[in-house]
Amino acid sequence: MHISGPIAGRRSCAAAIAAVVACWTALPGPDLAAADGTPTPSVPAPKLDWRPCVQGSPFDCATANVPLDYRNPRGRSVELAVVKRKATGPGRRVGTLFFNPGGPGGAGTIQMPQNYEFFPREVRERFDIVSWDPRGVGNSTAVNCFASPKEANAWNASRPAGFPVGEQERKNWIAAYQDLARRCRQRDPELLRHVSTADTARDLDQLRQSVGDPQLTYLGISYGSILGATYANLFPGKVRAMALDSNIDPHAWTNHASDDDPRLTTFLRMGSDRSVAATLDRFLSLCGSATTARCAFSAGSPKATRDKFDQLVRRLRGHPVGAWTYGRTVSDVVNSLYVVHPGWTDLAGRLQDLWQGRVPGPSPLPPAPPVPNPHPYVGEEQAAAVLCSDSPNPRDPGVYHALEEASATRTGDTGRFWTWAAEGCATWPAVAANRYRGPWNKPTAHPLLVVGTTYDPSTPYTNSQAMAKELANARLLTNNGYGHTALINPSSCIAAHESRYFIDGTLPPVGTTCRPDTPPFSAPKPSGGVSTGGGAMAGIVS
């Protein structure tokens, strides 16, 4: 299973967050209740013993102990790794901004420090910025189904890169994920049942209490949107300000709260295959309209460039270039569409290398942040543990090939990627003990802001429309742009509206549309947003 996250694992990483000061209003919240509505015992907030993450680090680290099962708070506990950068404005601190980078499986203790310098100055001055590795992930009590890195590497090598092509690769793929399920069942079956989105939403409320904020200020991107929506409906009175960017349709995530075996996978219900096809078409059209100096893969016109791409992927099916198979290349295309600058330019260069029969060179990784364990194990089973136990997917491995062909007929090569991305759920050994499946329209203490991008390769714009409609009181802000999340594809317009919302709760006018600061394959503009704190930052999801 390959679940793409908006920041983790990208070639260059940068998060963009526009948020600042506000007046805090403490409103009474509901009693703690299980996702099915049954009351659960109250749980004291964990004490956070903040210390420098490593000697000389500007980031502070702490560990929070929370119940594995909130219905049994005296039972087993799990650890949450938490990271903070203190507000830099002396005497001007307002509170805490909690940030979830998506996934599922995004390690906030790594991604927030990697991206801190890209946050707007107002955020750094007025807020402690806090993130955490959700339960089951990274430096927290993590799902790890292998006894050693050698075992994990061997498992990764046992399946095709990207997605399977042909009957034998499909057999190998299915067998690999059956083996993964067996290993996970043997290692820690109890943990697998308690890494749901609802569990993590309760952890987030515990962390909010631990930092002393009466209500939550939160930014969630990608999977972080469904986490935020879950929190907003479990703790509606505790929402101060919540921005959800690049959203997952709650009904697509829960399969409309049905217990029936779903006909489609999570990503096909979301429409990720259609959305990535539209985004790829824009990539090729804009590339073809640019010179080769701006887009190395350009064939001189949009149609010629689309034809060139089709020829390349057909050729790769029979004649890989080194390790660059058809499946690996299509997977790389999908992931590289997430971030326009520099992702689209870099992708064009790799495609041109492949066109000319050259193996693309390795891509640089972002620098390690100053935290104790900057390279935690983040194997696929961590994302799978959340997705597969929380969101229904077809349980028969045999149906995925037919789903793949139907999607490819409808949307092209990239539909194959999104079909197989959830196949590991077919044999996943656990269902979450505490899932939240709705309702999604509980009135919150303050309205929410929903941001959606029109050409998003992962979470379609229609999902953001659905999220804004489902929530009791939310305003949709449209980013008429490209890539996965407006935050990592900079738009000063989006940033300005987000800032006003976080400052005083002012929502953008109904129907507001923004555009990116720099269109794809255009000359770079002088940068002023970071130094002035005026907007979103680019850079670079699992």
Side-chain angles (χ1 to χ4, degrees):
M1 175 180 317
H2 185 98
I3 302 172
S4 298
I7 297 179
R10 301 292 164 220
R11 288 177 175 79
S12 59
C13 291
I17 302 175
V20 283
V21 303
C23 304
W24 291 87
T25 304
L27 296 180
D31 293 334
L32 187 67
D36 61 6
T38 58
T40 59
S42 60
V43 180
K47 176 177 173 54
L48 297 175
D49 186 14
W50 295 109
R51 302 182 183 206
C53 292
V54 295
Q55 186 174 3
S57 174
F59 297 96
D60 293 324
C61 288
T63 300
N65 287 288
V66 296
L68 174 71
D69 183 352
Y70 279 93
R71 291 170 295 189
N72 181 24
R74 292 185 177 84
R76 176 182 171 183
S77 65
V78 294
E79 292 185 345
L80 303 179
V82 191
V83 67
K84 174 178 72 174
R85 181 70 183 260
K86 294 178 182 176
T88 61
R92 303 184 68 208
R93 179 185 178 277
V94 172
T96 301
L97 172 70
F98 285 92
F99 171 63
N100 180 273
T109 63
I110 308 304
Q111 295 174 26
M112 188 277 276
Q114 279 179 331
N115 294 280
Y116 175 81
E117 293 301 327
F118 295 100
F119 290 11
R121 186 187 65 227
E122 297 97 326
V123 174
R124 299 195 301 265
E125 288 179 347
R126 308 299 293 270
F127 281 92
D128 295 344
I129 302 175
V130 170
S131 193
W132 77 108
D133 294 359
R135 56 171 63 206
V137 174
N139 288 308
S140 294
T141 299
V143 174
N144 185 343
C145 301
F146 300 98
S148 67
K150 182 178 179 180
E151 278 192 10
N153 291 336
W155 180 84
N156 276 301
S158 72
R159 67 198 170 99
F163 55 86
V165 180
E167 183 177 0
Q168 187 57 52
E169 286 197 355
R170 288 193 293 273
K171 289 181 179 178
N172 293 344
W173 179 282
I174 290 169
Y177 282 101
Q178 289 172 333
D179 178 54
L180 181 65
R182 177 186 59 80
R183 292 172 181 271
C184 292
R185 185 187 301 111
Q186 292 174 345
R187 294 277 291 181
D188 194 344
E190 186 183 24
L191 178 61
L192 299 184
R193 298 180 65 247
H194 293 285
V195 291
S196 73
T197 304
D199 291 321
T200 293
R202 298 196 184 288
D203 293 342
L204 175 56
D205 196 61
Q206 291 290 100
L207 295 175
R208 173 195 64 77
Q209 296 176 60
S210 293
V211 301
D213 286 356
Q215 291 181 312
L216 179 74
T217 299
Y218 173 82
L219 177 73
I221 60 178
S222 192
Y223 166 77
S225 68
I226 203 72
L227 172 59
T230 300
Y231 182 97
N233 284 277
L234 287 176
F235 305 99
K238 297 300 182 182
V239 175
R240 174 193 165 273
M242 181 175 287
L244 308 177
D245 183 0
S246 290
N247 290 255
I248 296 172
D249 178 348
H251 290 306
W253 181 259
T254 63
N255 191 37
H256 294 270
S258 172
D259 290 320
D260 295 336
D261 193 37
R263 184 175 62 87
L264 298 174
T265 72
T266 302
F267 302 117
L268 297 183
R269 292 195 300 269
M270 288 168 56
S272 298
D273 56 340
R274 293 187 295 272
S275 189
V276 72
T279 306
L280 174 59
D281 184 73
R282 291 302 297 160
F283 165 84
L284 294 169
S285 296
L286 293 169
C287 178
S289 299
T291 65
T292 53
R294 296 281 180 219
C295 180
F297 194 65
S298 176
S301 73
K303 182 180 185 304
T305 305
R306 288 194 293 269
D307 290 343
K308 181 179 177 180
F309 179 80
D310 291 340
Q311 292 175 45
L312 173 61
V313 294
R314 283 198 303 268
R315 192 171 74 196
L316 288 170
R317 289 195 75 137
H319 303 283
V321 178
W324 286 80
T325 61
Y326 166 76
R328 176 179 175 180
T329 301
V330 173
S331 174
D332 180 68
V333 168
V334 174
N335 286 295
S336 299
L337 292 173
Y338 275 52
V339 180
V340 174
H341 303 291
W344 285 26
T345 300
D346 292 347
L347 171 61
R350 288 193 298 279
L351 292 175
Q352 184 63 17
D353 283 340
L354 293 170
W355 178 258
Q356 295 179 335
R358 296 192 302 263
V359 174
S363 301
L365 295 174
V371 296
N373 183 20
H375 301 291
Y377 177 72
V378 286
E380 284 198 28
E381 65 267 36
Q382 295 182 5
V386 180
L387 174 71
C388 300
S389 67
D390 212 45
S391 182
N393 283 273
R395 298 292 291 176
D396 178 5
V399 307
Y400 282 79
H401 179 44
L403 291 173
E404 169 198 8
E405 292 301 326
S407 179
T409 299
R410 182 174 62 246
T411 65
D413 300 282
T414 50
R416 302 182 189 278
F417 169 89
W418 277 122
T419 302
W420 287 97
E423 191 281 326
C425 291
T427 49
W428 188 253
V431 174
N434 186 26
R435 288 183 291 171
Y436 185 81
R437 303 194 294 175
W440 301 98
N441 60 351
K442 293 183 182 178
T444 50
H446 298 94
L448 280 64
L449 178 64
V450 173
V451 182
T453 297
T454 51
Y455 289 100
D456 185 322
S458 177
T459 53
Y461 176 66
T462 53
N463 280 225
S464 291
Q465 291 176 308
M467 179 69 87
K469 182 179 179 181
E470 285 300 318
L471 296 171
N473 188 3
R475 181 67 48 83
L476 177 64
L477 175 60
T478 298
N479 177 37
N480 190 8
Y482 316 93
H484 187 45
T485 82
L487 294 175
I488 57 178
N489 292 284
S491 167
S492 297
C493 170
I494 294 286
H497 285 296
E498 287 183 331
S499 295
R500 284 193 289 270
Y501 167 69
F502 276 105
I503 290 168
D504 57 17
T506 300
L507 292 167
V510 174
T512 298
T513 298
C514 293
R515 295 185 180 275
D517 291 346
T518 307
F521 307 121
S522 59
K525 295 180 180 178
S527 174
V530 177
S531 60
T532 63
M537 274 52 73
I540 304 207
V541 215
S542 128

